[in-house]
Amino acid sequence: MIPDDAIVIVGMGVEAPGGIETPEDFFDALAAGADLIGPLPRDRDWPIDQILALGALPGWGAVPDAGGFLDGAAEFDPQFFGLSPREAMAMDPQQRVAMRVAWRALENAGVRPDSLTGAEMGVYFGASAMEYGPRAASVNSYSGHRIAGAAMGSVSGRISHTLGIAGPSMTIDTACASSLTAIHQAAAAIRAGECDSAIAGGVCVMGSPGAFFEFSRNNALAADGRCRSYSAKADGTAWGEGAGAVILETAATARAAGHRIYGAIAGSRVNHNGAGAPIVVPSAQAQRQVIEATLRISRVDAADVDLIEGHGTGTLGDALELEALAATYGAASGAATPAAVGSVKSNAGHAQAASGVLGLIKVLQCGRNGQIVASRFADEPTTDIDWDTAGLRIPSVTQEWPARHGHRLAAVSSFGVSGTNTHLIVDMPEANRA
C-alpha cells in the first residue's frame, strides 16, 4: 500500500521521434525494438550541406545525416492556446511542444485542463537554450514578441499562463539532467506545501544544429547516428529530441479524486561532480553517491530494483556509469539475479534536456504492462565491466516482469554536461497494472 503522503504519478504525456504522441505508442515502439532515427530535418533552414561537410575540416569528425527528430515540432494550433499566429511563430518551439504535452498529460490523468483556473498547481519543466529564431537585437517581423518568445522561463510560464494556474512556475536547466531534476524539484515542492500538485517534465527541440557542430569538433558523434548504449561498438552519441510531462500529487489526493496511480516516487536526489576533472567529464564516484543517497531516502533495498533506465549516451561516460551501477545495484543483486540496464537513447537518440522524463515514462509503461523492453545493440555489450560478476545485464529481448510482493521497482538516472547528476526510484504497484 502506497502511503497517503507519497508523491505519485497520475498522468503522463509524451512526444518522441517516429511520430509518437501517446505513452502507449511509445511503449509499443520500444517493445518492438524500433529504430526511431531519421534524417536531419529539411524544414528548419539548417545549412545541411555545411553540416554534412564538417568532417572534412582538420580535426573534426563526420556528421551523419541522422538523428531522433520530432515529426510535429513545427506544428502548432495557436488559436487553441489563445495565441496569435505572429506570437506563436516568435515562440521557441520548445514552448509550443511543452504546452502540448502538458495538456495531454492532464487529459491522461482525467483532469480537464480548462478547469484549473486559480489552482495551486506548480509547473517544473526542464529545458536548455536551443538558439531558435533571429537575434532579439535585430529588426524583424517578430520584434516585440522575442523577449517572452526566447526566454527559457517561458517554457514553464506558457503552461501556467495557458491553464491559468497560480502555483510555482519555473524552467530548470541542468543540461541533460534537466527534466529529471525538474521532477525532483516538483516532488519536493509538493512535500513542502508550495503547491497541491504539479506538472513536471522536460522538452528538447533543436532550434539550431549547434550541438552537431560542437560534437563534430569533439569527435563524439556516432558514425551512423545510432546511440549504442553500453555496447562494445559504441562510437559516440546521437542527438535527438522529445518531450514528456507527468502529473504529480499526493496519494491521498489521487485516491480522493479517483485518479489512477501509475507509480510513486520512492525517492530522488541531485548532486554534482565537484572539482577535479573537466566539467564535462562524468564522475563514477559522484554517481555512486547520488544513487546511494536515493536508496537511503527511499528506504528501498537495492536488490529489489529490477530495472534501471540509465543515461547511456554511447560515449566514454558509459563505462563510468556502469561502474557506479555495479557498485550499488549490481552488488546488491548479485550474479544470480542481475538487474536489467537499458536506455531509450538506443532507440531514439539523446533527447538532451528531455532524456530523463522519456526514460521515466518508459519505465512507467514497462511497469504498467508488466514487461521489461529490450535495449537495442545489446548483442555485444561493452567489455568495460565483467558482466558475469557485475550483477547487471542488458536485456536483448522484451520479457515479462513479475512483481515482487505486489510492486515493481525501477530506477532512472540522468547526468548533465554541467556536472549535475540526478537519480530517481519509482515504485509501481501491481494493483494498478493495466
Side-chain angles (χ1 to χ4, degrees):
M1 181 72 172
I2 293 175
D4 282 349
D5 62 351
I7 307 301
V8 297
I9 298 165
V10 299
M12 48 184 160
V14 67
E15 287 194 21
I20 291 169
E21 295 185 347
T22 70
E24 292 76 20
D25 287 347
F26 189 47
F27 177 79
D28 289 345
L30 299 181
D35 178 7
L36 302 177
I37 301 299
L40 298 175
R42 263 59 176 184
D43 60 352
R44 303 188 189 181
D45 292 327
W46 286 7
I48 300 295
D49 291 343
Q50 181 187 8
I51 296 168
L52 299 179
L54 288 174
L57 298 175
W60 292 58
V63 178
D65 188 1
F69 299 100
L70 294 180
D71 289 356
E75 298 172 4
F76 188 67
D77 183 353
Q79 289 185 328
F80 181 86
F81 291 101
L83 296 164
S84 70
R86 181 167 168 259
E87 182 176 8
M89 186 64 72
M91 289 164 51
D92 187 324
Q94 296 185 118
Q95 297 179 28
R96 304 180 222 147
V97 175
M99 292 166 71
R100 225 165 31 213
V101 297
W103 192 279
R104 290 173 180 162
L106 288 166
E107 291 182 328
N108 182 264
V111 176
R112 284 185 53 186
D114 60 358
S115 70
L116 295 172
T117 301
E120 291 295 320
M121 174 179 274
V123 178
Y124 295 79
F125 240 73
S128 298
M130 287 285 144
E131 297 185 311
Y132 172 72
R135 296 178 59 201
S138 63
V139 177
N140 57 73
S141 59
Y142 308 117
S143 295
H145 290 297
R146 291 294 294 150
I147 295 297
M152 286 296 98
S154 294
V155 171
S156 53
R158 293 282 185 186
I159 297 170
S160 298
H161 181 260
T162 297
L163 298 172
I165 55 181
S169 185
M170 58 187 73
T171 304
I172 293 167
D173 185 358
T174 53
C176 306
S178 295
S179 59
L180 211 61
T181 305
I183 294 167
H184 165 79
Q185 290 295 108
I190 296 172
R191 293 189 192 101
E194 296 179 33
C195 51
D196 299 327
S197 58
I199 305 168
V203 61
C204 173
V205 180
M206 300 178 71
S208 89
F212 287 95
F213 282 76
E214 283 292 294
F215 266 50
S216 170
R217 185 64 185 88
N218 292 331
N219 289 274
L221 288 171
D224 65 352
R226 271 68 181 177
C227 190
R228 289 171 166 75
S229 308
Y230 316 120
S231 169
K233 295 182 179 179
D235 60 347
T237 203
W239 290 130
E241 301 176 330
V246 293
I247 308 301
L248 304 180
E249 59 193 16
T250 66
T253 300
R255 291 180 180 121
H259 293 160
R260 174 180 183 144
I261 296 175
Y262 289 108
I265 297 178
S268 58
R269 280 292 182 264
V270 179
N271 75 355
H272 194 272
N273 294 333
I279 192 170
V280 299
V281 177
S283 166
Q285 179 182 359
Q287 290 177 24
R288 177 174 178 172
Q289 289 170 343
V290 80
I291 292 169
E292 291 173 341
T294 307
L295 286 165
R296 283 195 300 272
I297 194 67
S298 303
R299 298 181 181 177
V300 163
D301 185 340
D304 291 335
V305 176
D306 293 316
L307 174 60
I308 303 160
E309 173 65 10
H311 196 55
T313 58
T315 62
L316 297 175
D318 284 12
L320 298 173
E321 181 181 2
L322 289 171
E323 178 185 331
L325 292 175
T328 49
Y329 294 108
S333 298
T337 57
V341 180
S343 176
V344 71
K345 296 178 183 67
S346 67
N347 302 88
H350 186 358
Q352 303 165 71
S355 60
V357 69
L358 293 181
L360 175 60
I361 292 173
K362 167 188 170 180
V363 160
L364 291 168
Q365 285 295 90
C366 285
R368 184 182 180 193
N369 288 276
Q371 294 182 313
I372 292 176
V373 300
S375 194
R376 299 189 75 226
F377 312 112
D379 54 324
E380 192 174 339
T382 179
T383 57
D384 288 323
I385 64 167
D386 183 351
W387 294 94
D388 291 333
T389 61
L392 305 171
R393 64 187 178 89
I394 307 178
S396 57
V397 295
T398 296
Q399 56 201 235
E400 293 301 307
W401 182 9
R404 298 182 187 231
H405 311 295
H407 293 260
R408 294 180 177 85
L409 289 168
V412 185
S413 288
S414 280
F415 311 127
V417 73
S418 57
T420 300
N421 307 301
T422 309
H423 192 71
L424 180 150
I425 295 174
V426 60
D427 177 0
M428 294 160 284
E430 165 74 9
N432 292 319
R433 178 178 171 180

